[in-house]
Each structure stands twice: as structure tokens, then as C-alpha cells.
Amino acid sequence: MTEIVNLSNIYKSFGAVQALIDFNLSINEGEIVGLMGDNGAGKSTLLKILAGNFLPTSGNINFNGEDVVFNNPKDARKAGVEVVYQDLALCDHLTAAKNIYLSREAKRFGFLLDHKKMNETSQKLLDELNSSARPGDVVTGMSGGQRQAIAIARTRLSEPKIVLMDEPTAAVSVAQVPVILDYIRSLKKQNHSVLLISHRLPDIMEVCDRIAVMRLGEKVCDKNKSDCNPEEITGLITGAIKSA
Amino acid sequence: MDLMELFTGPRKGAVADPRVARLRMYLNNLAVFFLVCAMWITLSLVTSTFATTGNITNVLRQSSLWSIIAIGQTVVLITAGIDLSIGSVVGLSSCIVALMLNKGYPISVSCVFTCLCGLGVGAVHAFGITKGKLPPFIMTLAGLTTWFGVGLLITGAMPIGNLPADFKNFSRGDVLGIPNLFLCVIGVMIPTYIILNHTRLGNHLYSIGSNRPGAELNAVPVTRTIFFAYMYSSLLASIVGILVAARLSLGIASNGFTWELQAVASSVIGGTSLFGAVGGVFGPVLGATVLSTINNGANLLNVQPYWQRILTGVIIVTVVFFDQLKKRGK
């Protein structure tokens, strides 16, 4: 199986705070890796390094067989990283379609926005996610689930190598959780990899192939799901179990 | 369609109806339009001098100048920034163009060079805001005094007159009865409308005003977009500087004094939000017409001109107060 991401010895500090310490992780093509950990364990920092928001203080990122440096989100996106951020990074004043297409707007005649195409494609993507959000509506006032759908729809505009998702099921209705989990499985079917950050152990156990647990910036566990049991994972997250 | 949304904005948790949002903007513009009509009718009735061709053209000329800088200000306000240097840039530009014309440079060369200076001024502001991470308020406030100082320096604080007749005639001329100054407004409105509504750049301007960190995460070229906003605003201020020099036949650093506030006021009267991401091109033009009508009406009614400045201040505070209520209500 081809390796898509290989992080080796990633170290990241913010002043005196060590957010990531000698972090190693590899993710294969079409693999869903669940990343768990308590608040402040360094999960979001790791995601932001992979997404090009932060540069690691030291360490190496190998992406799709090449050593890379993601200086900004654009670099990461170009390489094939799509992200669903925890806060979703939506612009409330823009329509759903303009949010989905933000910074890669469809054009005609080389410089004019192709509103029709953006609305049509957005409608299709939102339908696939079973969302009631309408492409022409502004995001202000939309429900948590509709917002989540827009942020997820963004990842469908390209053919990503990997999709990073930060708590995609935290703010949605109970009925919508299975839709999002189905979506994650469909990514796997199309051979895209997924790094799923979540606090919800049932979600992780349901879709992931492998589970990694972080505690205080270090990886304390990295196992196939079949070798994990929920009690052990919970113990690792809280620190009751030191490592596994 | 929930008509209450028109007045209160979308209810908490309810999906904002885009038709209502659009209608709200039209209604705001329509209300301002009716305000202009009401003021014009009232002034025509109470004064014998308002409804004369000469006076109306005068109002329109003044409002044309303010419209252009208000459109520039609006582009900056959309990014949740503010450009307080506009008045000084108008003054400085009028000095530059007058000095060049005095030295015998052709009109075209003088105007182009002045516009380039305007772009440079905007680039300095944007550089301070993006690279120096200075708040737009501070950066352009510093610009307000700096560019005024530069204008005084290069002219020795003297008015520069003796401008070519062709240059002076432009601001008084018309094409098929439409005043040249008003044609300039149209010439600014059309490209600005296209940029704001139909280009990626426009979408990026709104996205930065709406959620700058979010725009950054989505790979929006934030720095480049902010450079555009401030350079565009300063460019329009330079164009107005040239037009003012032509209209008054004079280049002097105090041309355009405090016009940055006229630009802010015109823009917010026209529905632009000081908190970013809300605004268009028609609002500021209507707003500028309101202000120039107040200005003109006060003169005709023999009200002391100082009242106009006080009124501008009151208008800004009132409009922004209601804008803030809307934001808090959300």
C-alpha cells in the first residue's frame, strides 16, 4: 500500500509550550486514521501543520513520496490536502456556494465569476451530503449541521489525497452523524485517506482503520482498530494508562 | 417570506432568506433615495434658489466628488478596514497635478503621474497594515497627517494656480448635457460594481471582512487583496484630487480637508457596515448626494456652515449605532 503521509520527528513549540514532541505518524492511501486525545493534547496543532497553517519547529513531512514544506494553506491544498476545520472557517456574509468555492471560484471569460456553475455544483454537493442548505443562501443563521455540510462540501471540489477533519460530528444533529460517517467511508472507497480528529469514541470505532492517541504532545498509542478496546483508549486519553 | 425579517434581521437559529437580505439592501437604498427626493422637494419649496439649473448642477458636482471617494472608502470598509487618509490624499493629489501642470507637463502626463502617486500612497498604507500588522485606523490616521504635511511641503503651503484652460474646463464641461464629473462617477461605479459582484477579488474582499482568519485558512490571498483595497481607495482619492484642482482651478494641500469623514458618512448612510462584508456601489453615491444636499441646503437657508460638520458627526454616530444594534441582535 502506498504511503500518503509520513510525519517523522515533528516537534512544535509555541514559546515555552511544547505542543508536539517527536511526533511520528504515517497514513496510507485509502486509510482512515482516527486521532484522539484530551483537550490540549496537540491534535489541532498537528492538523494545522499538515494543512499548512503552521510550520513545524523541526521534523520532516513526507507527502506522497516527497519531502515537502507547506508554507501556507495554498501549498497544502495544491499538494492534495483538504481540511474541515473545527470552527469550519466559514464567512457568514457569503452564500453557501461562495463559501464552498472560496479562493477557487469558478470563472468564465477568464475573470468573471461563474455564479451559475458554482450554485449548481454546490447544490449537487450539498444534496450528496443530505443537507437542506441552499447554495444561494447566506451562511448567517444556518444551523450547525448546514454549516458543517458546507465545510465538508469544500473538500469535494478537488480530488484530494487526504482529507483532514477536525471534530466533524461535534456540532451536528444526531440524525446527521451517520451521513457524515457514510461520507468518510465513501472517501475511503475512492481511495482518499482521512485523518479524523474526534472526541466521540463510537464514531472513531465505527469508521477508522487505525487509531492513534495523543497525550500532552506525544503519541501514546497507534494501533489497528481490531487491536483496540474502548476502555484502553479512554485510559490512554485520560492518562490512566501511560502507553500501549 | 417572513416580512418581520426586513426589520429585525433573521431570527436567531432561523435560516436567513437571501431574498429578504437582498430586499433589505434595496429598501435601505430606496429609503435614502426617498430622503434625497424629500429634501430636494422641501428645499425647492422653501427657497427660491435651490431649484435653479446652476444650483442643481452645483449640488451634483459636489456629490460626484464625494461619491467617488465614498466608493473607495466602501471597498476598504468591506474588508473591515477604514481609510482616514482620503482627505489628505485629495489635497496632496491636487498639489501634485497643479505643480506638474505649472511646470508645463501635458495634462495627460500630469494626471497619470498623480494617479500613480495615489497608488503608491495606498500601497504604503497596505504595507503598514499587512506587513507591519498596524490597525488600519492607526495607519491611515498617520497617513492623514503625513500626506497633508507632504502637500504643504511641496507647495510651500501656497496655492498653486495658473492652470491650463483645457484642464479647468473639464470639470465644468458636459457630454450631451451630462456633466463630466457625473460621467466620472459612472466611470468608477461600473468597474467597482463588476469587481465587487462578479470577480474573485470581490468575493475575497467580502470574505476578509466577514472572517479574516477563515479566509486565510481557505487560501484567500489576504495580503494581496488588502493591498488592492487601500490602493483603490487612494487611487480614487487622487482622481478626486485632480477633479478638485480642475474645479477650483487651484492645487492646495487643504483641498479635501476632512473629506475622509464625508466618505465614511456617505458610505454608512448608503448601508455599508463599519464591521465589514456589507456594502455596494449605489449606497455610497446616494449617501454622498444626501450630504451634498444638506451642505447646499444649509448654505441656501443661511445656516452657519459649521452646522454641517456637526451634523456629519451626528449622522455617523447615529447610523453606526443602528448598525451595531443589528450586529448585536444577531
Side-chain angles (χ1 to χ4, degrees), chain B residues 150-224:
Chain B
V150 173
L152 290 171
L153 202 65
I154 59 173
T155 56
M158 295 299 287
I160 311 293
N162 201 12
L163 305 178
D166 282 351
F167 182 69
K168 291 190 283 197
N169 288 340
F170 177 82
S171 64
R172 286 161 213 160
D174 58 75
V175 176
L176 303 171
I178 307 167
N180 284 346
L181 290 183
F182 190 69
L183 289 175
C184 290
V185 177
I186 307 274
V188 168
M189 281 173 84
I190 292 172
T192 312
Y193 179 84
I194 292 173
I195 289 170
L196 288 181
N197 297 291
H198 294 288
T199 67
R200 300 180 68 175
L201 179 60
N203 202 30
H204 295 168
L205 288 165
Y206 286 104
S207 73
I208 291 170
S210 179
N211 179 359
R212 184 168 167 180
E216 261 160 15
L217 292 179
N218 280 292
V220 169
V222 172
T223 306
R224 211 196 307 159

Side-chain angles (χ1 to χ4, degrees), chain A residues 53 90 92-93 103 105 113 141, chain B residues 14 198 200 203 210-211 218:
Chain A
N53 304 126
L90 297 180
D92 278 9
H93 298 81
S103 91
E105 293 85 351
L113 289 181
Chain B
H198 294 288
R200 300 180 68 175
N203 202 30
S210 179
N211 179 359
N218 280 292

Side-chain angles (χ1 to χ4, degrees), chain B residues 40 67 79 84 90 136 149-150 229 275 278 285 294 303 305:
Chain B
W40 281 34
S67 295
T79 67
L84 295 177
V90 169
V150 173
F275 306 104
V278 179
V285 174
I294 291 175
V303 179

